[in-house]
Amino acid sequence: MPAKVSDSTIRRLSHYLRILEAMARDGGGTVSSVQLAAAAGTTAAQVRKDLSLFGSFGKRGHGYQVAELADRVREILGLGRDWRVALVGAGRIGSALFEYADFRRRGFHIVAVLDVDPAKIGERWGTLAVEDVASLEAALEREGVEVLIVTVPATEAQAIVDRAVASGVRGILNFAPTQLRTEDGVFVHDVNMVMELEALSFDLTNRIPADVGDTAD
Amino acid sequence: MPAKVSDSTIRRLSHYLRILEAMARDGGGTVSSVQLAAAAGTTAAQVRKDLSLFGSFGKRGHGYQVAELADRVREILGLGRDWRVALVGAGRIGSALFEYADFRRRGFHIVAVLDVDPAKIGERWGTLAVEDVASLEAALEREGVEVLIVTVPATEAQAIVDRAVASGVRGILNFAPTQLRTEDGVFVHDVNMVMELEALSFDLTNRIPADVGDTAD
DNA sequence: AGACGCTTGTGAAATAGTTCACAATGCTAG
DNA sequence: CTAGCATTGTGAACTATTTCACAAGCGTCT
């Protein structure tokens, strides 16, 4: 593994992978960096640079073998295995994620669902029963959970994450709109829909192509 | 408006805003860039640089007035108004977003919900009825929609977006895992949960602090 | 009123990320 | 077996973003 891989490179690899899988379904044999870049909305040089960080996967003059490159990217991203995931927060968003087929398809298996709400505890979700978040540690250890999906209110997220980390969780997908603090070696990725809407609001307000001047301020 | 504002700056402003609002609730009078940076997980210089792009909001020696800075940031982000939003895709995720209080709180009002599924069309969602996506244009024009939230399958997203853009939509929050193509002046922001999980998978696999060597490849 | 302490606002330096441009092939055809 | 074509892999140039470091204030205290 190269010492320095930027976050944007990883995100692009994930994007390439989705495209490569679609191409593989369409029976595609080879892709050039130019084609892959066009599909991903980036440049050919960027594609080649991204891939070359991890090895030499193409053939000069011919491009990349679609199926093989997909395998390599999957391997780089660590998707060659299954991940055991616990979902904390059995609300609307949690429920939507639980049903989200793309997670399972990528090897992320939700093996426990927890909530504080007594009305929810005991509900059957697929083959699982919603458990009391009081027994978080027990559930995480029982199921060998490594990744936590957090969809609880912002005020409760930190406490839950602290407990989960103490129980061995090392990766967190955080939907709570709060800045989580964790020790080194624990990775947190945020999904913040409000932030994206606000960025959209900024664009619509300030990045209008022509006319609006820069008279403000 | 300054000519060049990076996307990361905007995302941080959104983050600052959330922190400032929490501080305002706690009655906080002033913040220094150091305090704000600590809360946001960035540096004081970064905070000052971000803010200074838009004006001079602090007082030397004393920091920023919490309530006032929050107002300014809200204004920068274009949040001083309400946005009329349509939701296309009345599935699990759509339903979760519809109930998501933080959207409304920020002035994003869902004024129409559409789907293709005949079983869903006509369902009551709050004060709205789910409409047939066939009448997308009519709904968008009737409600004066400017922002679209897309939670349909990847295969259908592009067609819907094309129609919406033709009907005057200029901002799109895209949950479909696909690269949307739009004309200039239309802003697309993606929320890609699978990508975040894959980035997490990469981190867990490759960024383990010590021990794992770089023997691969 | 003047000096002091604290914190902003901001050029300049440093670091990170992207694009360019081309030599190094691998493949195919003759 | 050699020439020609296409496309990779990659140092070097460029651009963007972050961090540094410090002069410019603002308010307070004596």
Side-chain angles (χ1 to χ4, degrees):
Chain A
M1 307 303 134
K4 255 311 185 191
V5 181
S6 79
D7 233 57
S8 7
T9 291
I10 300 306
R11 292 244 268 286
R12 281 192 300 268
L13 286 176
S14 168
H15 196 167
Y16 302 157
L17 177 55
R18 201 168 10 256
I19 292 162
L20 289 166
E21 289 179 337
M23 286 175 167
R25 273 196 299 279
D26 296 356
T30 65
V31 235
S32 68
S33 56
V34 173
Q35 296 171 301
L36 190 47
T42 181
T43 66
Q46 184 73 80
V47 168
R48 295 201 299 276
K49 189 66 92 172
D50 286 337
L51 295 174
S52 73
L53 286 171
F54 299 95
S56 210
F57 308 132
K59 291 211 171 94
R60 288 170 198 245
H62 280 255
Y64 305 86
Q65 210 63 31
V66 169
E68 193 211 307
L69 184 57
D71 283 351
R72 293 317 206 89
V73 174
R74 232 177 262 117
E75 198 181 309
I76 291 165
L77 293 175
L79 299 173
R81 48 161 293 192
D82 283 347
W83 294 94
R84 298 178 70 76
V85 179
L87 176 63
V88 191
R92 288 267 177 182
I93 294 179
S95 144
L97 298 178
F98 185 78
E99 302 285 336
Y100 197 44
D102 286 351
F103 282 178
R104 234 165 301 142
R105 202 172 290 142
R106 292 298 195 190
F108 298 97
H109 296 282
I110 295 176
V111 295
V113 180
L114 302 103
D115 203 295
V116 253
D117 182 353
K120 285 191 187 116
I121 295 165
E123 262 184 23
R124 283 220 91 66
W125 280 32
T127 61
L128 302 176
V130 176
E131 298 175 64
D132 190 337
V133 82
S135 51
L136 177 68
E137 288 83 355
L140 298 179
E141 274 155 37
R142 185 187 72 231
E143 298 294 342
V145 166
E146 290 165 294
V147 173
L148 200 73
I149 300 182
V150 177
T151 64
V152 301
T155 45
E156 301 175 32
Q158 184 66 58
I160 283 166
V161 163
D162 289 344
R163 290 169 57 199
V165 168
S167 293
V169 163
R170 293 188 303 114
I172 292 159
L173 188 66
N174 177 39
F175 285 79
T178 187
Q179 176 78 9
L180 295 175
R181 290 254 154 228
T182 58
E183 63 197 65
D184 270 15
V186 178
F187 302 98
V188 178
H189 284 254
D190 295 305
V191 176
N192 194 327
M193 298 168 291
V194 171
M195 189 177 279
E196 294 303 329
L197 266 186
E198 291 182 347
L200 198 50
S201 168
F202 176 84
D203 288 347
L204 289 170
T205 307
N206 301 294
R207 298 209 218 258
I208 296 164
D211 72 65
V212 175
D214 18 301
T215 39
D217 169 300
Chain B
M1 309 300 133
K4 255 309 185 191
V5 181
S6 79
D7 234 55
S8 6
T9 291
I10 299 306
R11 292 244 267 286
R12 281 192 300 268
L13 285 176
S14 168
H15 196 166
Y16 302 156
L17 177 56
R18 199 165 16 253
I19 291 162
L20 289 167
E21 288 179 338
M23 286 174 167
R25 273 195 300 280
D26 296 356
T30 65
V31 236
S32 70
S33 56
V34 173
Q35 295 171 304
L36 191 46
T42 182
T43 67
Q46 184 73 81
V47 168
R48 294 201 300 273
K49 190 66 95 170
D50 286 337
L51 295 174
S52 74
L53 286 170
F54 299 95
S56 211
F57 307 133
K59 290 212 172 95
R60 290 170 197 244
H62 281 253
Y64 305 86
Q65 210 63 31
V66 169
E68 193 211 306
L69 185 57
D71 283 350
R72 293 315 205 91
V73 173
R74 231 177 266 118
E75 196 181 312
I76 291 165
L77 292 174
L79 299 173
R81 48 160 292 191
D82 284 347
W83 293 95
R84 298 179 69 77
V85 179
L87 176 63
V88 192
R92 288 265 179 183
I93 295 178
S95 142
L97 297 179
F98 184 77
E99 301 287 336
Y100 198 43
D102 286 351
F103 283 178
R104 233 164 304 141
R105 202 171 292 144
R106 292 300 196 190
F108 297 97
H109 296 281
I110 296 177
V111 296
V113 180
L114 302 102
D115 203 295
V116 253
D117 183 354
K120 287 195 187 111
I121 295 165
E123 260 182 23
R124 283 220 91 68
W125 280 31
T127 60
L128 302 176
V130 175
E131 299 175 64
D132 190 337
V133 82
S135 50
L136 178 67
E137 290 81 356
L140 298 179
E141 275 155 38
R142 183 188 71 231
E143 299 293 343
V145 166
E146 291 166 294
V147 172
L148 201 73
I149 300 182
V150 177
T151 65
V152 302
T155 46
E156 301 175 32
Q158 185 66 60
I160 282 166
V161 163
D162 290 344
R163 290 168 57 198
V165 168
S167 294
V169 164
R170 294 188 302 116
I172 292 160
L173 187 66
N174 177 39
F175 286 78
T178 187
Q179 176 77 11
L180 294 175
R181 290 254 155 228
T182 57
E183 63 197 63
D184 270 15
V186 178
F187 303 97
V188 178
H189 284 253
D190 295 304
V191 176
N192 195 327
M193 298 169 290
V194 172
M195 189 176 279
E196 293 304 329
L197 265 186
E198 291 182 348
L200 199 48
S201 168
F202 176 85
D203 289 345
L204 289 170
T205 308
N206 301 294
R207 298 210 219 257
I208 296 163
D211 74 63
V212 175
D214 17 303
T215 39
D217 169 340

